[in-house]
Each structure stands twice: as structure tokens, then as C-alpha cells.
Amino acid sequence: MTSTAELLPLAVIGACCSPVTREPISAENAASLAHVLKAVADPARLRLVSMVAAHQDAEACVCDLTEPLGLSQGTVSHHLKILVDAGILTRDRRGTWAYYALVPGALDSIVGLLAGA
Amino acid sequence: MTSTAELLPLAVIGACCSPVTREPISAENAASLAHVLKAVADPARLRLVSMVAAHQDAEACVCDLTEPLGLSQGTVSHHLKILVDAGILTRDRRGTWAYYALVPGALDSIVGLLAGA
């Protein structure tokens, strides 16, 4: 004769499993957060975000961002475009220069997830 | 005769530049934070971190992590190894199963940087 326990999958009889105490993120949320995380998961882009944030009103002229990074203007523009496309920075051309500003709250959902982890 | 302003670089005369109000992260910090960010900048790995965090004591058996992701055991193991190598999770084999736990504080520096941005 077969006992009930032998017929149940391991997860049901709890041989290995600790209980879940809250809801993990959904597949959809994970996909959109991973997209934003990928945009900042690069040393140059992390420094760009940090440099813009360090400027008054969290806005910096592109002319202030290129030299400290030690990268070509083309490479810096490429990284800035990825940050703008991900919704982390905005770009505003005024006269000769382009100005980049942090989008308020753009990183809040990532911070919330990782702080809660 | 040349005026003083004409001899100074643009950054010095402040034609385009807002002042820096705090210190941006260093190149070294950016490199190490980007390494950890890359590890979580993936939908499956973000869900794994969230799932482990959602379990009691922030520890989960690998047997609880594979099925909800809808990925093969080999793929899940690959993602878990990246998270362990990045110092985000620890792995502890007990009997038949491997248990994964969040490393306390592993994501603090990322949260601090992004929350301050």
C-alpha cells in the first residue's frame, strides 16, 4: 500500500521548502526593471548619472561631463543616449550646448525593489 | 589687445556650466557597483533575488525557485551562480537541496547611490 505522502510532490509535503512571506515581483515588472537596470549597469553610465546628480538642480551641461570621464565625445553621447532612452535622463538643447537632467523618480522602483530585497 | 575672458577656457568663465554641489562617485566605485548591477540587470535574476527575498528568513531552496520561473534547472543554476559570484546570494547545500540566501547589505551601496541620484 502507498501512503499519501509518497503520492504528493515534495513541495506539497514541505520536505525542503520555507514559506513565502510576501509576493515576489511579476515577470512583467522584472522585465521593465531589468531594462532600466541594464542602462545604469555600466561604469561610464553610472558615473554620468552620478555626475548629473551632483550638479545643482541635478542638471549638467554635456560640456561638463565629457572631460572627467576621459572618454571621447562620441562615446559619451552614446552612453547619454542610452540613459535618455531608458527614461533616466532628459536632454534639452539650449544654444550651443545640450543639458542633461535626472528624471525625478525614474530610479524609485529599482531602489524600492533592491532596498526591500 | 585680448581680454582676460577670451584667454580662459569656457568652463572657467562659466558660460555653460552649473556648479557641482557634491562629489560624484569615483571611477573605482563605479566599476565595482556596475559589476553588481550587471548581475541583477536581468529579468530572471531580478525575479530570483525577489523570490529569495520573499521567503522566510530571505532563504529559499532551489527546488522552490525553478518552477515559478518557467526555465530549465540548468538555466536557473546558471543565473544563481552569477548572483552568488557577485556576492548577492550565498549557496548552502544541505542534504539533497541547495539553499540560497540573500547576503545582508549586499545591495546597500547600489541602493544608496541610486536613491541619492
Side-chain angles (χ1 to χ4, degrees):
Chain A
M1 187 178 144
T2 308
S3 79
T4 311
E6 282 172 323
L7 294 173
L8 291 169
L10 209 52
V12 176
I13 58 174
C16 69
C17 309
S18 61
V20 173
T21 56
R22 54 190 163 103
E23 193 70 27
I25 54 166
S26 66
E28 294 71 27
N29 272 349
S32 81
L33 286 177
H35 178 74
V36 181
L37 273 171
K38 275 195 175 87
V40 288
D42 172 275
R45 294 199 289 274
L46 218 41
R47 291 180 69 194
L48 283 167
V49 169
S50 176
M51 286 161 63
V52 170
H55 275 74
Q56 200 167 47
D57 301 326
E59 185 186 68
C61 173
V62 68
C63 59
D64 280 341
L65 301 173
T66 308
E67 189 270 334
L69 278 185
L71 299 171
S72 73
Q73 202 177 320
T75 304
V76 172
S77 293
H78 163 77
H79 286 307
L80 286 167
K81 185 176 185 318
I82 290 173
L83 291 169
V84 170
D85 289 348
I88 297 166
L89 298 182
T90 56
R91 181 181 188 277
D92 183 29
R93 176 168 282 280
R94 298 201 289 273
T96 311
W97 302 105
Y99 291 76
Y100 291 87
L102 277 181
V103 174
L107 299 171
D108 285 1
S109 50
I110 292 177
V111 169
L113 173 73
L114 299 181
Chain B
M1 190 178 142
T2 309
S3 78
T4 311
E6 282 172 324
L7 293 172
L8 291 170
L10 208 52
V12 175
I13 57 173
C16 69
C17 309
S18 61
V20 173
T21 55
R22 55 188 162 106
E23 193 71 27
I25 54 166
S26 66
E28 293 71 28
N29 272 350
S32 80
L33 286 178
H35 179 74
V36 181
L37 273 171
K38 275 194 174 89
V40 288
D42 172 274
R45 295 199 290 276
L46 217 43
R47 290 180 70 193
L48 283 168
V49 169
S50 175
M51 285 160 64
V52 170
H55 275 75
Q56 199 166 47
D57 301 326
E59 185 186 70
C61 173
V62 67
C63 60
D64 279 340
L65 301 172
T66 306
E67 189 271 333
L69 278 184
L71 300 171
S72 73
Q73 200 175 323
T75 304
V76 172
S77 293
H78 164 77
H79 286 306
L80 286 167
K81 185 176 185 318
I82 290 173
L83 292 168
V84 171
D85 290 348
I88 298 166
L89 298 181
T90 56
R91 181 181 188 277
D92 182 29
R93 177 167 281 278
R94 298 200 291 271
T96 311
W97 301 105
Y99 290 76
Y100 290 87
L102 276 182
V103 175
L107 299 171
D108 285 1
S109 50
I110 292 178
V111 169
L113 173 73
L114 299 182

